Amino acid sequence: QVQLVESGGGLVQAGDSLRLSCAASGRTFNNNGMGWFRRAPGKEREIVGHINWKGDDTYYTDSVKGRFTISRDNAKNALYLQMNSLKPEDTAVYYCAATIRGTSTWGYWGQGTQVTVSS
């Protein structure tokens, strides 16, 4: 069974940092793009950023550029999201996702981890 399991969420204050982790099991995602999405209360899900299979090419949505960093460790089949200078508007459920190999379709999803940033 393929699973993506996020961890590291929590309640923090504005300006704090958090590091989210995503552990993959059931298959290797070393040749898949991976990314982070989030869904804030009352809003649509949006992409936070993504990283290619080699880990040398990343994309970030404008609102997190310069504050968030995505990385991956293919030896551990893991994905990370380092979040610095957190803002209340970063409050959301954060999801890890992986593409279907050879495509840009996000075919694998985690259950999500809650990040709450208080002002």
Side-chain angles (χ1 to χ4, degrees):
Q1 180 181 1
V2 177
Q3 279 191 311
L4 296 175
V5 180
E6 303 92 340
S7 62
L11 172 63
V12 297
Q13 294 186 330
D16 285 351
S17 298
L18 272 179
R19 188 190 193 214
L20 304 185
S21 298
C22 173
S25 62
R27 58 156 292 171
T28 178
F29 289 96
N30 293 353
N31 294 311
N32 301 64
M34 298 191 76
W36 290 96
F37 290 74
R38 67 185 180 186
R39 187 192 302 272
K43 295 187 177 181
E44 297 291 319
R45 184 179 64 197
E46 66 169 348
I47 189 164
V48 175
H50 56 75
I51 188 168
N52 68 341
W53 70 274
K54 290 193 294 183
D56 61 0
D57 186 31
T58 54
Y59 161 84
Y60 300 96
T61 194
D62 286 346
S63 61
V64 308
K65 282 181 182 176
R67 300 188 298 121
F68 290 11
T69 303
I70 295 175
S71 60
R72 64 189 298 166
D73 185 338
N74 286 341
K76 295 182 178 179
N77 217 19
L79 179 72
Y80 307 100
L81 179 65
Q82 178 66 45
M83 305 186 292
N84 298 329
S85 302
L86 283 161
K87 303 176 181 180
E89 51 263 44
D90 294 318
T91 295
V93 178
Y94 284 71
Y95 300 90
C96 168
T99 60
I100 297 172
R101 188 177 301 181
T103 77
S104 59
T105 301
W106 298 99
Y108 305 92
W109 293 88
Q111 292 300 306
T113 185
Q114 176 71 47
V115 172
T116 303
V117 184
S118 64
S119 58

